[in-house]
Amino acid sequence: MAKSPNAFRTISEAAEAVGAPQHVLRFWETKFAFIDPVKRAGGRRFYRPQDVVVLKAVRRLLHDEGLTIKGVQRLYKDQGIARLAAYGDPEAAFEMDAESISEGAPALEEVASPPAPVSTVRLRQLLVEIEGARARLDAVLGG
């Protein structure tokens, strides 16, 4: 029997959905304050649907777009969690609301904004690609 789309996911289910190993998800928790799954007794992690969207965004930005960890952190700082999540799933990112975020997690910016037009999403993707190229260039030039 399949889980509801709104059901929480275990770390193994989240890792499978994201396409990254479990240990990588745990590592990302140490590097990105906005990745904060619910933890039950014994430290067992449960990921909300919006957590999985954010994890997919992080995976895409790091692995597909070539951003560094600092680059993703900067993108989050500059654009917020809703915009960052758009890289994981543009439609789901705007369905996220403040009540669905756990206490202590950063508040969503621009929650009431309608989904961005495709051209804006593409421009954001290009910006991410440019930032990734810049980070790679800085690394090569030692800057």
Side-chain angles (χ1 to χ4, degrees), residues 51-105:
D51 293 330
V52 174
V53 170
V54 170
L55 289 168
K56 286 179 180 179
V58 169
R59 185 200 168 285
R60 178 174 173 215
L61 290 168
L62 292 173
H63 295 278
D64 299 341
E65 303 297 336
L67 259 65
T68 62
I69 289 173
K70 285 189 184 256
V72 175
Q73 290 168 338
R74 187 174 338 137
L75 187 66
Y76 165 71
K77 181 181 173 191
D78 293 345
Q79 296 186 14
I81 193 71
R83 297 288 187 209
L84 184 119
Y87 293 99
D89 182 354
E91 292 183 21
F94 291 99
E95 293 172 7
M96 299 166 73
D97 60 31
E99 295 172 335
S100 66
I101 300 296
S102 67
E103 288 186 32

Side-chain angles (χ1 to χ4, degrees), residues 119-133:
S119 60
T120 303
V121 171
R122 181 63 188 136
L123 288 173
R124 274 195 231 113
Q125 291 171 342
L126 289 171
L127 178 60
V128 169
E129 291 173 24
I130 291 168
E131 289 176 346

Side-chain angles (χ1 to χ4, degrees), residues 39-53:
K39 291 185 183 168
R40 297 284 189 216
R44 186 167 175 163
R45 292 164 171 81
F46 289 94
Y47 295 85
R48 298 169 294 261
Q50 64 269 24
D51 293 330
V52 174
V53 170

